[in-house]
Amino acid sequence: MASGPYRLVLVACDVLAAEVDTVAKSKSARRSVRLRSHGQLTPVDRGDALVTVSVGPHNEAIAMWSTASGRRALQARTTRPGWASFPEPTTDAGVPVHVATYAPQVTSAVRIADLTLAHCHVQPLPEGRILVVGSRCRWRPEGADRNAIIVDADGTVTRRSTLGDGIEHVLATASGKIWAGYFDEGVYGNFGWGGPGPAPVGATGIVRFTENLHPEWYFPTDDLDPIDDCYALNVAGETAWSSYYSGFPVVHIEDTVRSWPGSGSAANALITDGTRCALVGGYREHHGRMLVGDLDQGHFKPYRLTLPGDRPLADRARIVGRGADLHVFIDSAWYRLNLADLP
């Protein structure tokens, strides 16, 4: 049998087939849940293009902007003939960017003169600092890429470190702790990790780092189903929630982990108040699906997540859960929903 990320592709096909059948049967019973418009992200410099956006610990949006050519460099990919397309871990040259926070208007902006990390995650840290993490990271005999930087409010890089390859999620807490969730290549290895290099940093699927970028906690693998791919990560306060492949349980993480069966279906984001839970997204056409249920009792019911005016959710939507709050970004438009808004 195949192993690692190739095994995941085979199993995922079976999960997808079962899920399509289940969702098709319940599709007619779905009701719509409408997002509400919350704001518009405006660039720091007129004409700049949005590179990436996320949400901080106080439900503030944080976005990276660059020129159109800068965005292309920061999102570059390499396609191997007859094979897959891989994101480039770094740019060929430094790219100037702005990282701005919104609540929902601009509250601060930091200029980084020559960013070389590509496919970035951004998060606010205490004292006006900014965390930037590249999602891909090569290991070489001479050392691993340092794919994480901390930037002061004046744009000075004060710290560099390695958070590993295959990073799907990065969310910081108000105190500056950093939670990272890894997709399958970050768990099983690629770009030199796991052979000939050391075990991947994200081999357990979820890692918590200190504000100085030192790993301090790894998801336990003894008594829980292992994480093959961290599909959804939500950080509320100082704790985290996740739903992951392959069984898609819902877990609450402090220093110990509590697990619930969840819906058993794929979800790309989740929100929860500790009792109720909404699982958002899924495979292919189910990106706009929301499953709402009680963690202890289950009974997850399907809903259709829509934009104002009952417009369908765009495929390119960026969805982030923070506690009970769901944030959806479509280009520069910002939408929100709270679990209390749901039936």
Side-chain angles (χ1 to χ4, degrees), residues 28-289:
S28 61
R30 284 194 208 168
R31 290 178 289 176
S32 295
V33 175
R34 292 184 185 178
L35 294 157
R36 63 178 183 273
S37 180
H38 186 68
Q40 194 78 20
L41 307 180
T42 56
V44 178
D45 286 344
R46 180 176 296 181
D48 272 359
L50 183 63
V51 178
T52 188
V53 61
S54 189
V55 180
H58 303 293
N59 282 307
E60 72 272 40
I62 180 165
M64 178 183 288
W65 300 86
S66 187
T67 61
S69 61
R71 179 171 69 174
R72 286 193 294 271
L74 293 165
Q75 297 178 342
R77 304 179 69 91
T78 296
T79 301
R80 299 177 183 175
W83 189 232
S85 173
F86 289 94
E88 290 290 341
T90 58
T91 62
D92 292 333
V95 175
V97 302
H98 283 102
V99 179
T101 55
Y102 302 81
Q105 289 76 34
V106 176
T107 58
S108 66
V110 175
R111 184 177 188 273
I112 305 173
D114 55 352
L115 182 67
T116 57
L117 300 177
H119 299 276
C120 294
H121 303 272
V122 289
Q123 282 290 285
L125 293 176
E127 301 172 355
R129 297 171 298 156
I130 299 295
L131 171 69
V132 182
V133 179
S135 65
R136 306 312 304 255
C137 174
R138 293 189 181 96
W139 180 91
R140 304 179 181 86
E142 59 269 26
D145 292 343
R146 293 189 292 175
N147 65 322
I149 61 173
I150 294 177
V151 183
D152 269 353
D154 64 1
T156 302
V157 176
T158 60
R159 186 173 295 273
R160 299 179 186 269
S161 190
T162 299
L163 267 60
D165 183 45
I167 300 177
E168 182 70 24
H169 308 280
V170 176
L171 293 171
T173 72
S175 71
K177 303 283 188 178
I178 300 155
W179 291 87
Y182 297 78
F183 57 86
D184 54 358
E185 292 176 54
V187 173
Y188 291 100
N190 199 356
F191 284 141
W193 297 94
V201 175
T204 64
I206 297 175
V207 181
R208 187 179 69 219
F209 297 82
T210 69
E211 63 177 318
N212 291 322
L213 305 181
H214 299 304
E216 65 172 7
W217 185 90
Y218 296 88
F219 190 83
T221 57
D222 295 337
D223 301 321
L224 297 163
D225 291 336
I227 298 175
D228 294 316
D229 191 319
C230 181
Y231 270 47
L233 183 68
N234 178 326
V235 173
E238 297 295 317
T239 67
W241 295 81
S242 179
S243 180
Y244 58 84
Y245 187 85
S246 60
F248 299 108
V250 174
V251 294
H252 181 222
I253 308 168
E254 296 182 270
D255 285 329
T256 58
V257 181
R258 183 180 178 188
S259 179
W260 292 265
S263 69
S265 298
N268 304 115
L270 68 89
I271 55 174
T272 180
D273 59 10
T275 300
R276 297 175 74 208
C277 179
L279 300 161
V280 185
Y283 294 117
R284 296 179 185 174
E285 71 270 23
H286 305 310
H287 67 279
R289 183 190 62 185

